[in-house]
Amino acid sequence: MRVLMFGWEFPPHIAGGLGTACYGMTKGLAYNDVDVLFVMPSASGDEDESAVKIINASDVAVDTVSATVDEFLGKVQFVHIGTNMVPYVDPSDFKTIVEEERKRQIKGFRVQYGQKYKFSGKYGANLMEEVARYAMVGATIAMQYKDQFDVIHAHDWLTYLAGIAAKQLTGKPLVVHMHATSYDRASDDQVDTRVVDLETKGMMAADKVMAVSELTRNICINRYGIDPDKVVAVHNAVDFSGREKLEVERNVKEKVVTFLGRVTYQKGPEYFIEAAAKVLKRCNNVRFVMAGSGDMLNRCIRHVARLGISDRFHFTGFLRGKEVHKMFALSDVYVMPSISEPFGISPLEAMQTNVPSIISKQSGCAEILKYALKVDFWDVDAMSDAIYGLLQYPAISQLAARCGYDEVNSIKWNDVAAKIKGIYQEVIDKN
Amino acid sequence: MKKSICLYFQVHQPNRLRLYRFFDIGKDSHYYDDFANRTILRRVAQKCYLPMNALLLELIEANKGAFKVAFSISGSVLEQFDRYAPEVIESFRKLAQTGSVEFLSETYYHSLASLASPIEFKNQVLKHKAAIEHYFGVTPKAFRNTELIYSDAIGEMVYDMGFKTMLTEGARHVLGWKSPNFLYSCAQAPSLKLLLKNSSLSDDIAFRFSDRGWSDWPLTCEKYLSWIKAAAQNDEIVNLFMDYETFGEHQKAASGIFDFMRALPEIVIKDGEFEFVTPTQAAKKHRPVGDLDVMDPISWADEERDVTAWLGNELQNDAFNKLNDQAEKLALLNDEALWSDFGHLQESDHFYYMCTKFFSDGAVHKYFNPYDTPYEAFINYMNVLSDFILRVDDAISVSDVNFAAAKAAKAPVKKAAAKKAAPKASAKKAEPKAKKPAAKKTAKK
């Protein structure tokens, strides 16, 4: 079986969890004898191609699908106006971004049309434009490799237009993969309607929709109005191969409770702070760490100062690569209080480092993790209770650490990929 | 009687903190960015301290004692001079020897101790006095608090320490219709005389001198003297207080600031209406025209002229409180390194970096700030402070063990003593210090 996969990023150059998930998934698919042609906007050449063949969209000229490209431009024209993907820019910045974009597009489109386009592959201000171009290039690639795949698999809304185009041109079945929804990225009143529109288009055109959890599956059904029979939950796994056990010398003698992730509204950082204040009232041998950056960071810092706990509550800023592992290794308890989390890979990483985890019931991974403590994100009392228990009673923390370790090590991409292969088979048979 | 012009220059450099991360807590207790501190100090010494000191010496000698200035030099910057540019101390010493230069008293660490603790405030004033005597052989008689911070209560503390003269800001919201160009007295300690800064005339030099957008640019000595005359038409004294770094650092040499200062004394002296005085001389020469009521602390910073540049938001308040909470524990300890770090962490600059008043005075704040945002400043400071608190607590527990061991050694049952002392290997280290309990206060100086 062969699959044409549209992704946005691939290790080592990743900004979010999407690249990591794609990497693990393709390796699992290879193990299950599925050949993967992986298309990404901007490959750097140092990607691990042991399990996939990577096609760099920046190397492909758009000239073979002239008719469809015109049609495409017509369809996606709307996304060129006001391509503001930068959250919380103030009105004056917004105006300049929009105006610069418009000028650039008028100039750029004429030059770029029919030529190679250098994708940035980042999540920047001109993301929407890249998404549209990626669709054009994707269509070209689909035609070029027409005889080399049986099914199309598109990851997240960024690649859906490309997936749709490939399906229309080749007639092959399309599977789209919802790693997150617009409703996880922002609160209801701030949802980007253009993204919602792309997501809906993709899911409507798809033969099957894969969601990373039941939680996300429900959002697809209830918020986007997708046919329940069409949506299946496919939980993520984690690839821990090649990770060495990191030996770190602890720097503080107190226990460390960690929040690690983007400091944004959806991740619930303020509930973590409130819980920390409650725990600190009861016991003194603990420090809290908020690792990560985001638009809520400054507000959180003020919040901590106002509660008067800043000598026990530390901020590390954005951590990368090894620092993340180091942070886990230094932690005694990991907390993920997300308000809405499609899946949430970090508790699995924490548990793999023998760190007991507390996760919100509103996160997708809560559906498959038995040995993580689960609380409602808004229930600060329950959260502080769980933190206190894990800190004070060795029996429960040891159990959570030991069984959690075994549990996450049994969640394998190979098994997930087998499930995905079954779905591929289903849509191919139907086609 | 001639009217007076009183010039006072503030000399201070903070000990900037290095990037100190959570991972460093408990592992590395060196807090300072030595490279930045040395680089900046050397630069300012070359551009400002050395050339300006040379110029002032020349002017004092040329005018045969008719030209006088006052300096307040923080202990923090004295330490840096000692370490990175001892020639600057030498040049200040030469100025001291002329007898026309007054050295003022302040808190050693350029700190906000006057707002936190009378005991710590006094400690630092005494420490600074000792330093000035050591370096320049003079005993400071007039007092100026960090950033000219003043209130009735602070005035009383200063008077109780034996000072008769104090410098502060001529804050408009305190003065109301009154003019800053007179001598005033402290409401709570009427014998303490107050010299008030004339903001407008001081800022003409300190902030506006090189501003080509300013309608009065370029500023000449004649024009400036005419403004002084106009301002003090019916008044007695004009106090021009500013950062010493104004000369050559904030206002570059190319702006002509040195030429301006070179010409100013002679023009003033020749004109004859004004004479130069030092703060102590001014307090003797003039009589206070009335009391000044200052309930809430004032300072020379920002539009508000209050202390909100340092203690105006929750970040600053929390950091400040957490720091001052350590004083009680430290009082039990005789550890020079801890006391020194405690002092340097009190430098007002650290709190200034956490200021969020970006809109009205953001430009000035940005200039003096090594951090991109107040939040970064806060995080970094709190990480350092957390390590410091760990060290203090460790030292306390060690001294507790020593105390218990000493007590137990005297007790008849020797076994118990051995048990208590044995588990703490580090207890041995601290023992020699414990032998001289009376040395605590002297060590701090």
Side-chain angles (χ1 to χ4, degrees), chain A residues 232-308:
Chain A
V232 272
V234 178
H235 291 96
N236 280 338
V238 208
D239 181 10
F240 292 119
S241 63
R243 179 170 305 180
E244 308 144 38
K245 262 236 140 47
L246 200 61
E247 285 298 328
V248 280
E249 194 195 329
R250 298 192 57 123
N251 55 338
V252 288
K253 50 185 186 302
E254 293 89 353
K255 302 263 169 111
V256 174
V257 182
T258 307
F259 168 106
L260 197 150
R262 279 179 296 117
V263 186
T264 56
Y265 170 78
Q266 297 297 323
K267 299 284 180 185
E270 296 198 298
Y271 300 99
F272 179 68
I273 296 171
E274 287 292 336
K278 286 193 180 237
V279 173
L280 282 169
K281 268 188 200 142
R282 282 295 154 81
C283 59
N284 223 350
N285 62 333
V286 55
R287 285 175 191 276
F288 291 83
V289 175
M290 184 169 280
S293 187
D295 56 36
M296 289 264 290
L297 181 61
N298 291 349
R299 192 165 139 183
C300 287
I301 295 169
R302 285 202 303 274
H303 192 162
V304 165
R306 214 178 306 122
L307 290 168

Side-chain angles (χ1 to χ4, degrees), chain A residues 96-142:
Chain A
T96 36
I97 289 174
V98 170
E99 269 168 14
E100 271 174 24
E101 267 308 297
R102 198 166 289 161
K103 269 187 228 146
R104 226 176 48 74
Q105 276 170 17
I106 295 166
K107 225 198 293 174
F109 238 79
R110 256 182 242 130
V111 182
Q112 294 291 346
Y113 179 62
Q115 295 181 8
K116 288 180 190 176
Y117 177 71
K118 184 88 188 87
F119 288 97
S120 74
K122 302 264 162 56
Y123 299 91
N126 58 348
L127 182 61
M128 281 297 193
E129 190 188 333
E130 291 210 354
V131 166
R133 290 188 191 288
Y134 187 47
M136 287 155 49
V137 179
T140 312
I141 292 166

Side-chain angles (χ1 to χ4, degrees), chain B residues 38-39 45 85 92 122 125 129 168 177 200 217 234 245 256 265 273 280 283 297 316 347 359 369 379 390-391 431:
Chain B
R38 188 183 74 225
T39 312
F92 274 117
K122 197 174 172 189
V125 173
K129 186 179 155 212
T168 185
W177 54 269
S200 164
W217 186 89
N234 304 308
E245 294 79 19
E273 188 177 339
T280 301
Q316 296 166 320
E347 286 167 5
F359 302 105
N369 197 338
I379 291 172
L390 279 181
R391 285 166 61 210
E431 236 158 17

